[in-house]
Amino acid sequence: MTSVNDLRSSFVDYFARNGHHAVASSPLVPRNDPTLMFTNSGMVQFKNTFTGVEKRPYSRATTAQKCVRAGGKHNDLDNVGFTARHHTFFEMLGNFSFGDYFKDHAIELAWNLLTKDWGLPREKLMVTVYQDDDEAMELWKKIAGIGEDRIVRLGAKSNFWQMGDTGPCGPCSEIFYDHGDHIWGGPPGSPEEDGDRWIEIWNLVFMQYEQQGDGSRTGLPRPSIDTGMGLERIAAVMQGVHDNYDIDLFKALIGAAAQATGADINGEGNRSLRVIADHLRSMSFLIAEGVLPSNEGRGYVLRRIMRRAMRHATLLGANEPVIHKLVPTLVREMGQAYPELSRGEALISETVLLEEGRFLKTLGRGLQLLADETRDMGEGTVLDGASAFKLYDTYGFPLDLTQDALRTRGITVDQAGFDAAMAAQKAEARKSWSGSGEAATDTVWYGLADKLGPTEFLGYETETAEGEIKALLKDGAEVAALAEGEEGFAVLNQTPFYGESGGQVGDTGTLKGDAVAASVTDTQKHHGVFAHKVKVTQGSLKVGQAVTLVVDHERRSSIRANHSATHLLHEALRLVLGDHVAQKGSMVSSERLRFDFVHTKPMTEQEMAEVEDIANAIVLQNTPVETRLMGVEEAKESGARALFGEKYGDEVRVVAMGEPTSNGLGWSVELCGGTHVRRTGDIGLVSIVAESAVGAGVRRIEALTGKAARHRGNTHVAIVDAAAGLLRSGSHEVLDRITALQDNIKKIERELTDARKKLALGGSGAGAAASADETVNGVTYVGRTVEGIAAKDVKGLVDSEKKRIGSGVVTVVLKGDDGKGTVAIGVTDDLTARYAAGNLIKLATAALGGQGGGGRPDMAQGGGPDGSKSAEAIAAVRGAL
Ligand code: SER
């Protein structure tokens, strides 16, 4: 038996041997198309290559592409469980020619693989061609050697392939396999074609046109080829079973589901087991890509798939969460081909378990209500919209879950009534905010949030994606276009740009479309709507346009590193300072990070060094940073750090990094909606550059990471080296040399002061002033004018003069460099009964143009603005003796 895994590689190898470049599957959330909810076929990643917008270094490619058809143009959700061949998730094998070969070689390659390499009997195969495609008809006859009786002409409905409402398209030719007359069904085009006997296994699309949004079709630059073969269908053929759900892969998944629920594989519950096995794959692959269950957009499609699977588990008798238990089996079966499954295993299991726990709380009561409401209803009746809405609103039943539950009984749901109930509820909510007196600008954003719903954020997974412009704002009002040079805000259906929140700044970058370009200088978030601040640099930006959004990668990388480092510092601070360290605020930009926390005293140098060391040790672990979705209570119980007083939704993103400690999740675990590095090593380096107070009991540290931290280190090393050069020393001696220099300077200053004093008193240099001891009224009087010494040294001079004369009165006036005068007067102790220095000083300061001055009877000091009057000051004292 050829396993699914063998078949996948056999296909890719065959086309690689035939000159095709083997390309990896692209993500399920398309990066290059704003109109598609999920990648629904192999050609999606090559869309722009077909139209010539994107050039690739090869003109032939082959892929095994993961696809989800659960929303939009190609939606198989309702068929799952009811047919042998429909899936919400499946793999499409394909080969592509971008203007290289066309119909003939495509047919030849396909026919040879099927009939030669894989040995399928020709008589079991039939083909279809587009009704007017005579060329294809002739080629099939010639190349495959089959007669017209085995070639069916069909119309556009089945033989014209289109990706979605827009995009590359063309007539196609399909290959069918006959599973045998023991199964009901007829060949393509016959009234019984919907049966499971004749199954389409391969679709060869002759890509020739591009479908435009306005309904017109333009030609592709060159005719191309896009083929798609469902891996599960061909596996059924190759494994000799007619039902996709009987292939090895599904047997394993269904077996695991039967075991987990206790259901009998061959019994009544078989349909439910198929639904669970199918939905397990789509939910797991979507979660692995970062799509998480929510009430909007892709997240809601995921939630619908998950809840539908959960209802089927309940039908099988499971009252406890079981779906998450199946994840390991899926990872075992598919994890090798898709490593993202293995990497995301924990995230997938936890997310599924969380959703199971949440939904199981209301599922039983919802089912009871449904049973009560429909008790007396028979086949062909319609459940009213209000009941379906109540199931949705109160019990979390997506509409299609209710429809699915009633389908086997032939009961449908009044969808218009359901929509009306939904609209009424929205109108109620609108009333409550429109009357809430918000500022006018806020009202605009509320209005947009109401009209458009929240913007889908793709930026956890990608920095580049296409989006469709849903609204433009200029000066606070909606406009249809922004012309070249104009500034305003753009709102798109989805974006990789992070809108400022949780302390992390908004992204910047560019926005480009057909003949239009704009720079994005900031991104803000208002009520879930992402507002891109744009300046149009070329052409004109219009509502309805599809544009490619590119986040400034370097800037975002620095922001990621700074945000992750903030988490590491937070935890390190707790370890070093204690558990009282609660986050008070943070700011994460591309340049630096700031973190405010509760702590009453300044951190010591040693504490800062310890914190930095610990954070850098986790950087060096280079362990993956993991994000989970958790219930808020559960997250807090697990020890995740949350901001006190912050309002969180029911479900929160939990970011864990570093090797787990006791909580099992990680060394640092925080509730956080920000963007982070993939591995801690991406932070590079954490360097604390400042510590300060920001308020009572709140400290702030600032830090740099990666390049910025390294640059700062380098700058500092360069400064030390330059200093060493000046000092003519080795850099390790710089500190000793500077200390020695400082000591030396102090010594020299002291010597200088002494020298000046000496000079002022006795010398004949510039600082000295001529004077002589006089005798006035029988008392020795010394009056001197000095310059060039410090004011604080004047008293010292007076003291030495007092000592020198033994008995008498001394006046020393300093003529300062600034022109002011400082005067000190001393009276020897034997004379203080006759003269008080405190009185004499007043006369001297008056002469200098000042007033007052004071001191003890034996020593007083004062000053005045006019130092040139020193002689007058000396004379004034003399006159008083
Ligand atoms: N795009 C085509 C399909 O999905 C062939 O790959 O059927």
Side-chain angles (χ1 to χ4, degrees):
M1 182 188 76
T2 323
S3 71
V4 166
N5 284 325
D6 291 344
L7 259 179
R8 188 189 297 113
S9 29
S10 161
F11 181 94
V12 172
D13 290 348
Y14 170 81
F15 281 99
R17 274 201 309 282
N18 283 284
H20 292 66
H21 192 85
V23 178
S25 171
S26 65
L28 283 171
V29 177
R31 306 286 195 252
N32 61 348
D33 195 297
T35 63
L36 274 187
M37 187 156 249
F38 299 115
T39 297
N40 60 16
S41 79
M43 56 74 63
V44 168
Q45 66 167 313
F46 302 115
K47 188 192 91 169
N48 294 331
T49 315
F50 284 118
T51 57
V53 172
E54 185 189 344
K55 297 268 173 282
R56 299 207 179 216
Y58 43 82
S59 58
R60 296 174 175 205
T62 179
T63 58
Q65 172 69 48
K66 42 186 182 175
C67 298
V68 164
R69 291 193 174 176
K73 184 172 169 63
H74 299 274
N75 182 357
D76 291 333
L77 186 60
D78 294 341
N79 287 321
V80 173
F82 291 94
T83 74
R85 60 182 193 281
H86 284 102
H87 306 280
T88 54
F89 174 95
F90 67 101
E91 288 177 82
M92 186 179 278
L93 304 171
N95 58 292
F96 309 89
S97 146
F98 313 115
D100 191 276
Y101 59 84
F102 196 43
K103 291 183 191 177
D104 51 352
H105 197 45
I107 290 173
E108 190 185 346
L109 282 167
W111 192 254
N112 283 347
L113 175 63
L114 291 179
T115 58
K116 295 200 176 123
D117 284 57
W118 287 351
L120 291 185
R122 302 151 54 108
E123 60 280 6
K124 291 216 147 237
L125 300 171
M126 254 184 102
V127 301
T128 64
V129 295
Y130 182 55
Q131 56 200 11
D132 309 327
D133 197 349
D134 296 334
E135 188 191 1
M137 170 69 98
E138 287 312 310
L139 286 169
W140 276 114
K141 285 201 277 187
K142 191 173 111 203
I143 295 166
I146 50 177
E148 276 191 31
D149 58 320
R150 303 195 73 78
I151 308 174
V152 187
R153 289 182 191 260
L154 289 175
K157 196 168 159 280
S158 51
N159 280 50
F160 193 94
W161 200 84
Q162 209 164 310
M163 177 190 84
D165 295 333
T166 59
C169 57
C172 60
S173 193
E174 298 184 325
I175 305 175
F176 283 73
Y177 181 82
D178 180 6
H179 276 280
D181 57 11
H182 58 294
I183 295 156
W184 182 82
S190 73
E192 302 84 31
E193 65 175 3
D194 281 342
D196 281 337
R197 174 173 170 184
W198 287 90
I199 301 281
E200 176 218 333
I201 53 170
W202 205 344
N203 185 12
L204 316 184
V205 184
F206 310 128
M207 288 288 190
Q208 290 168 68
Y209 312 103
E210 182 177 1
Q211 179 71 45
Q212 304 293 345
D214 61 6
S216 66
R217 264 182 209 152
T218 48
L220 292 183
R222 277 194 288 171
S224 297
I225 291 294
D226 149 38
T227 87
M229 165 152 68
L231 174 59
E232 298 75 7
R233 292 184 182 191
I234 192 66
V237 170
M238 299 297 286
Q239 293 180 10
V241 293
H242 105 271
D243 190 322
N244 288 6
Y245 289 88
D246 287 335
I247 63 177
D248 58 336
L249 168 63
F250 272 106
K251 268 203 186 128
L253 297 180
I254 287 174
Q259 202 181 15
T261 55
D264 173 8
I265 293 185
N266 302 314
E268 275 218 334
N270 183 267
R271 189 170 80 84
S272 291
L273 289 172
R274 289 161 172 250
V275 172
I276 291 170
D278 172 87
H279 290 9
L280 172 71
R281 295 211 302 168
S282 29
M283 71 179 84
S284 300
F285 274 90
L286 286 171
I287 295 168
E289 276 193 25
V291 180
L292 295 172
S294 75
N295 287 332
E296 303 285 344
R298 295 185 175 98
Y300 192 55
V301 176
L302 171 60
R303 172 159 281 166
R304 282 161 50 203
I305 292 172
M306 295 174 87
R307 295 198 164 182
R308 203 161 183 250
M310 287 161 198
R311 185 184 77 88
H312 280 278
T314 308
L315 284 183
L316 296 175
N319 297 316
E320 294 288 308
V322 287
I323 311 274
H324 69 282
K325 293 186 189 155
L326 311 178
V327 174
T329 308
L330 176 65
V331 173
R332 200 163 53 240
E333 292 293 321
M334 299 191 72
Q336 205 165 357
Y338 296 95
E340 65 268 34
L341 271 191
S342 316
R343 280 198 301 270
E345 182 167 349
L347 170 73
I348 299 167
S349 302
E350 286 165 18
T351 307
V352 175
L353 175 59
L354 174 69
E355 185 74 8
E356 290 195 278
R358 182 177 305 285
F359 189 44
L360 285 178
K361 282 202 195 108
T362 56
L363 176 61
R365 277 182 292 145
L367 287 174
Q368 189 55 52
L369 176 86
L370 186 61
D372 293 346
E373 293 285 326
T374 58
R375 188 168 325 262
D376 302 323
M377 293 173 66
E379 196 165 338
T381 55
V382 181
L383 177 69
D384 64 293
S387 299
F389 184 72
K390 183 164 186 208
L391 281 167
Y392 162 83
D393 197 35
T394 313
Y395 300 103
F397 278 40
L399 180 62
D400 53 48
L401 187 151
T402 304
Q403 289 168 326
D404 184 56
L406 297 176
R407 183 167 161 173
T408 45
R409 289 171 57 199
I411 303 173
T412 55
V413 179
D414 170 17
Q415 180 143 5
F418 177 87
D419 293 343
M422 176 85 93
Q425 194 195 49
K426 282 204 174 148
E428 241 354 89
R430 200 174 306 129
K431 252 194 245 158
S432 70
W433 62 255
S434 58
S436 66
E438 297 280 355
T441 48
D442 219 41
T443 309
V444 171
W445 292 110
Y446 260 127
L448 283 173
D450 187 44
K451 186 167 80 175
L452 306 173
T455 309
E456 190 157 351
F457 178 58
L458 306 176
Y460 292 123
E461 300 294 321
T462 179
E463 292 176 1
T464 308
E466 277 195 23
E468 190 179 325
I469 298 192
K470 291 291 184 190
L472 292 167
L473 266 85
K474 190 166 158 41
D475 302 328
E478 273 195 70
V479 291
L482 285 175
E484 193 164 316
E486 284 190 326
E487 283 183 58
F489 288 98
V491 176
L492 296 99
N493 63 333
Q494 55 183 15
T495 181
F497 282 70
Y498 185 81
E500 177 169 341
S501 52
Q504 182 179 327
V505 297
D507 278 329
T508 62
T510 57
L511 205 152
K512 277 201 185 80
D514 212 9
V516 60
S519 57
V520 179
T521 54
D522 189 19
T523 310
Q524 297 285 330
K525 212 161 107 182
H526 306 285
H527 316 296
V529 173
F530 284 54
H532 303 76
K533 189 161 194 253
V534 292
K535 180 170 171 131
V536 182
T537 50
Q538 185 207 333
S540 137
L541 207 55
K542 296 188 194 77
V543 172
Q545 230 164 19
V547 291
T548 303
L549 299 122
V550 183
V551 174
D552 179 335
H553 169 70
E554 274 225 13
R555 183 171 175 276
R556 165 70 91 76
S557 302
S558 305
I559 294 172
R560 284 178 193 275
N562 283 340
H563 201 152
S564 300
T566 308
H567 287 206
L568 296 184
L569 288 171
H570 184 179
E571 192 59 26
L573 283 166
R574 273 175 186 272
L575 289 178
V576 173
L577 302 178
D579 262 348
H580 61 278
V581 171
Q583 174 169 358
K584 277 293 172 189
S586 73
M587 193 282 303
V588 175
S589 74
S590 59
E591 285 98 36
R592 59 170 54 215
L593 68 93
R594 219 165 62 195
F595 184 76
D596 299 346
F597 57 98
V598 178
H599 189 55
T600 46
K601 43 181 197 277
M603 287 176 72
T604 64
E605 290 282 337
Q606 195 194 335
E607 285 167 341
M608 290 210 282
E610 257 181 79
V611 167
E612 203 182 88
D613 280 350
I614 294 175
N616 280 295
I618 308 294
V619 170
L620 289 177
Q621 275 182 4
N622 196 23
T623 40
V625 174
E626 281 174 357
T627 307
R628 299 172 167 76
L629 192 70
M630 290 173 95
V632 70
E633 287 315 319
E634 184 199 0
K636 286 183 183 165
E637 269 161 35
S638 79
R641 310 271 179 238
L643 257 180
F644 183 74
E646 177 90 356
K647 261 206 254 151
Y648 293 100
D650 290 347
E651 284 158 11
V652 287
R653 292 178 75 88
V654 175
V655 177
M657 54 187 90
E659 273 159 19
T661 48
S662 55
N663 58 36
L665 298 179
W667 179 81
S668 142
V669 185
E670 286 197 32
L671 271 57
C672 180
T675 59
H676 288 273
V677 294
R678 302 258 178 258
R679 305 182 75 95
T680 57
D682 299 344
I683 297 171
L685 179 67
V686 186
S687 171
I688 300 176
V689 297
E691 196 271 350
S692 59
V694 276
V698 179
R699 309 292 306 176
R700 162 174 297 175
I701 55 170
E702 292 170 60
L704 304 177
T705 64
K707 226 199 245 176
R710 195 167 53 79
H711 280 172
R712 181 171 179 275
N714 287 351
T715 309
H716 286 193
V717 168
I719 292 172
V720 172
D721 286 349
L726 290 176
L727 294 165
R728 295 188 203 293
S729 72
S731 46
H732 58 285
E733 293 161 344
V734 163
L735 287 185
D736 286 347
R737 293 293 293 270
I738 289 176
T739 312
L741 276 179
Q742 283 173 333
D743 289 348
N744 218 4
I745 288 170
K746 268 190 210 135
K747 198 173 130 226
I748 291 171
E749 275 175 347
R750 263 198 312 273
E751 286 171 5
L752 185 63
T753 311
D754 289 348
R756 279 192 173 141
K757 276 196 241 168
K758 270 192 202 125
L759 206 59
L761 288 179
S764 54
S771 88
D773 298 355
E774 326 166 36
T775 305
V776 182
N777 232 344
V779 172
T780 306
Y781 179 55
V782 181
R784 309 189 64 141
T785 300
V786 296
E787 285 175 62
I789 65 167
K792 68 177 173 40
D793 291 333
V794 176
K795 270 189 186 167
L797 274 183
V798 171
D799 273 335
S800 7
E801 288 294 87
K802 274 166 74 179
K803 256 186 223 136
R804 183 177 61 79
I805 57 175
S807 170
V809 175
V810 179
T811 302
V812 176
V813 182
L814 165 67
K815 274 210 251 179
D817 296 340
D818 54 1
K820 292 183 187 156
T822 303
V823 54
I825 296 174
V827 177
T828 52
D829 287 343
D830 57 322
L831 296 174
T832 48
R834 282 173 67 186
Y835 309 110
N839 292 335
L840 297 175
I841 195 78
K842 298 201 169 74
L843 304 170
T845 53
L848 295 172
Q851 52 180 322
R856 308 184 307 258
D858 61 332
M859 174 66 81
Q861 184 161 0
D866 194 355
S868 68
K869 295 276 167 49
S870 65
E872 284 83 342
I874 291 168
V877 176
R878 181 188 297 119
L881 296 180

